[in-house]
Amino acid sequence: MDNETSTGHVTRKAVLRAALAAGIAAPAVLMGVPALARTLTTGETAPALTPECDDGDDPTVPQTEGPYFKPNSPLRTSLLESGTAGVRLTVSGYVFGLACRPIAGALLDFWQADTNGAYDNTGFRFRGHQFTDAQGAFRLSTIVPGLYPGRTRHLHVKVQAPGRPVLTTQLYFPGEPRNNTDSIFDARLLMNVRDAGAAKEAAFDFVLNVPQDPGPSPTATATTAPPGGSWAVGTTYRAGDRVTYGGPAYVCLQAHTGQAGWEPPNVPALWRAL
């Protein structure tokens, strides 16, 4: 289950998600573990450990590499150059293993289209790789990629823990009209994006298929009944539709069809708490 263990105890990640949906700080039982990337605010420092993944979360889903990948990209955290055109974008987050513990030294290789939707296939503009720090964090400075025929707006990335297989996937932007027509688009890969003046800030956390020892157990537990409400798998939702789930009410941010794992508290890019 996503919200409960087999003993009926609420998992720490479920408590964190509920706090996020309600717009409040994480409960005291989560102190000493870093928030997910989407919960961090300016000036916050991520502590050493993360909530254990004891609720069956799957690793980040892979996607096609596409035709424009090039090996041997430069080592850099900024893809911006003098005179770079486009809306500035900062992407940050963490790389976790299966126990939700951070992975230091994980490789992230990013590539994308420029503001006109073109890839640099002769040089390395808008291409670069970096490594996570000791807390498993990464940060990329770039621009919002342009559109080109057949695709919605997206970033490409390869992620690899030291000595482990490579995850190749793509990251998407909420609210893009082409999300509904792009056959490759997957809502599980939506970033959380917000305006930052004339620029944008995005957050995404990767979970790699890397076995890890479990993190520390919670110091307190609670019991709960299975969530109820009007949200349902298989229902087609439009932007502006309202549902309830587990008590709180939510408004739909982007048209989609409900699927298991896309419950409102789990996908803030699709649902906002009222």
Side-chain angles (χ1 to χ4, degrees), residues 22-150:
I24 60 177
V29 296
L30 297 179
M31 294 303 100
V33 297
L36 300 181
R38 62 176 172 268
T39 73
L40 295 180
T41 58
T42 303
E44 287 184 332
T45 300
L49 299 176
T50 68
E52 59 185 341
C53 289
D54 56 358
D55 53 0
D57 277 9
D58 293 326
T60 302
V61 294
Q63 287 213 314
T64 179
E65 177 182 279
Y68 302 121
F69 173 71
K70 289 181 60 176
N72 305 316
S73 68
L75 174 63
R76 56 187 179 186
T77 59
S78 176
L79 306 185
L80 301 175
E81 300 175 358
S82 177
T84 296
V87 176
R88 297 303 191 257
L89 170 69
T90 300
V91 183
S92 60
Y94 293 93
V95 177
F96 298 136
L98 293 178
C100 258
R101 297 174 70 88
I103 299 177
L107 169 68
L108 298 103
D109 194 348
F110 292 95
W111 71 102
Q112 66 172 85
D114 65 16
T115 192
N116 296 314
Y119 288 84
D120 180 5
N121 296 316
T122 58
F124 289 95
R125 292 185 66 245
F126 297 110
R127 299 175 184 270
H129 72 271
Q130 60 178 280
F131 296 89
T132 56
D133 64 16
Q135 287 73 46
F138 70 91
R139 184 179 182 88
L140 176 72
S141 298
T142 184
I143 64 165
V144 175
L147 294 167
Y148 57 92

Side-chain angles (χ1 to χ4, degrees), residues 192-219:
N192 290 327
V193 182
R194 66 181 181 181
D195 293 331
K200 292 185 179 295
E201 295 178 347
F204 190 88
D205 297 320
F206 296 94
V207 178
L208 300 183
N209 190 12
V210 175
Q212 296 174 314
D213 293 330
S217 298
T219 57

Side-chain angles (χ1 to χ4, degrees), residues 174-245:
E176 289 288 330
R178 293 194 188 181
N179 288 351
N180 296 322
T181 58
D182 189 329
S183 62
I184 301 175
F185 170 76
D186 190 325
R188 292 172 293 180
L189 297 170
L190 280 166
M191 298 182 290
N192 290 327
V193 182
R194 66 181 181 181
D195 293 331
K200 292 185 179 295
E201 295 178 347
F204 190 88
D205 297 320
F206 296 94
V207 178
L208 300 183
N209 190 12
V210 175
Q212 296 174 314
D213 293 330
S217 298
T219 57
T221 58
T223 58
T224 184
S230 61
W231 182 91
V233 170
T235 301
T236 299
Y237 295 105
R238 298 170 298 178
D241 286 350
R242 299 190 178 196
V243 300
T244 57
Y245 185 81

